[in-house]
Amino acid sequence: MKNVYFISDAHLGCRALEHGRTHERRLVNFLGAIKPKAEAVYILGDLFDFWFEYKDVVPKGFTRVLGKIAELTDSGVEVHFFVGNHDMWVTDYLHDECGVVIHHEPCTLEIYNKVFFIAHGHLIDTAQGGFWERMMMWLFRNQVMQSLARSIHPHFFIPLGYKWARHSHIHHHENGDPVYRGEDNERLVAFAKDYLVSHPEINYFMFGHRHIDLDLALSDEARVMILGQWYSLFTYVVFDGNELVTNHFIEGETKI
């Protein structure tokens, strides 16, 4: 039985981070290291700091990581991608060119006889937020607004997207990395606890988005996990069919 891996929030191409090429190579090396042992890889959103697809145009770059993902799928490893708030405008490119299974909504999956509720987390988090948070998410997901955005030449719109993403990153990290707010104030935890009441079959809630490393037991049979991020924590979760373990990839030291 091979392993199933979960990662989230690499934010490749983030203009607020230094050494972008090194950042990408580290992720490529991780994916290469797990390839012989992987049954599937689940990427829980914000793989890119900004991604917007036109009919015949995608943002340049990321060739190493996209090539490695295609190598995984070509060798029979399933790669699932749950879109995040920074790359929700993924359409068919990753599926057609890299063989990735795209998920635009949270979903429940059975993996090795365990039931997983998997999502990036932004839709759940925003649904519990204020009016302007919900309005902004509605605008971003609105098909008419996306069509209008695609009417702007990518030479102008894509740099604007990167500028917005950089501002968002700086704004959310101006006081340091996000910290755990506690069970009562962490929206994803609150959602998981409520959802579990009507869906007691769920064993694991897997989220990205919040950039915190969390593994919290909700009951004897259920846990909620938030997968940190992949630009300083380099968090990943591995499931071997029996145990679910969180680790951090330190190149040259971590034994996959």
Side-chain angles (χ1 to χ4, degrees), residues 218-254:
L218 301 178
S219 70
D220 291 341
E221 300 294 331
R223 289 157 64 185
V224 58
M225 306 186 77
I226 302 179
L227 302 185
Q229 36 82 352
W230 244 88
Y231 52 81
S232 64
L233 296 177
F234 310 109
T235 315
Y236 69 95
V237 170
V238 56
F239 181 54
D240 64 3
N242 295 306
E243 282 192 284
L244 197 67
V245 177
T246 301
N247 207 338
H248 300 270
F249 182 70
I250 302 174
E251 202 163 8
E253 297 183 24
T254 303

Side-chain angles (χ1 to χ4, degrees), residues 48-188:
F48 309 103
D49 200 48
F50 177 74
W51 183 273
F52 191 91
E53 290 181 31
Y54 291 76
K55 184 176 183 295
D56 298 303
V57 175
V58 297
K60 70 177 182 179
F62 320 115
T63 53
R64 290 165 180 80
V65 74
L66 293 178
K68 183 58 68 173
I69 290 172
E71 181 183 314
L72 288 172
T73 60
D74 285 348
S75 68
V77 178
E78 288 186 15
V79 177
H80 293 255
F81 180 77
F82 287 75
V83 303
N85 50 304
H86 282 252
D87 43 29
M88 68 176 72
W89 305 283
V90 164
T91 57
D92 57 6
Y93 180 79
L94 296 181
H95 175 270
D96 294 350
E97 297 299 323
C98 302
V100 174
V101 180
I102 306 296
H103 302 270
H104 289 274
E105 303 287 342
C107 70
T108 301
L109 299 171
E110 185 174 314
I111 304 173
Y112 292 151
N113 297 316
K114 294 293 185 180
V115 181
F116 287 74
F117 182 95
I118 305 175
H120 176 63
H122 63 298
L123 298 178
I124 295 166
D125 186 60
T126 302
Q128 300 177 58
F131 171 79
W132 289 113
E133 283 184 84
R134 300 195 305 274
M135 176 60 71
M136 189 68 70
M137 187 58 62
W138 180 86
L139 289 171
F140 284 161
R141 302 188 78 208
N142 184 270
Q143 295 294 320
V144 173
M145 297 302 294
Q146 290 181 31
S147 295
L148 289 173
R150 288 188 176 92
S151 70
I152 303 172
H153 195 282
H155 178 74
F156 299 103
F157 187 71
I158 289 179
L160 180 64
Y162 277 116
K163 184 176 180 179
W164 162 79
R166 180 181 182 275
H167 171 78
S168 175
H169 183 92
I170 292 173
H171 172 71
H172 287 99
H173 292 77
E174 59 188 353
N175 295 316
D177 290 335
V179 296
Y180 179 50
R181 299 167 178 159
E183 288 187 44
D184 295 335
N185 297 311
E186 200 66 59
R187 295 172 183 173
L188 297 178

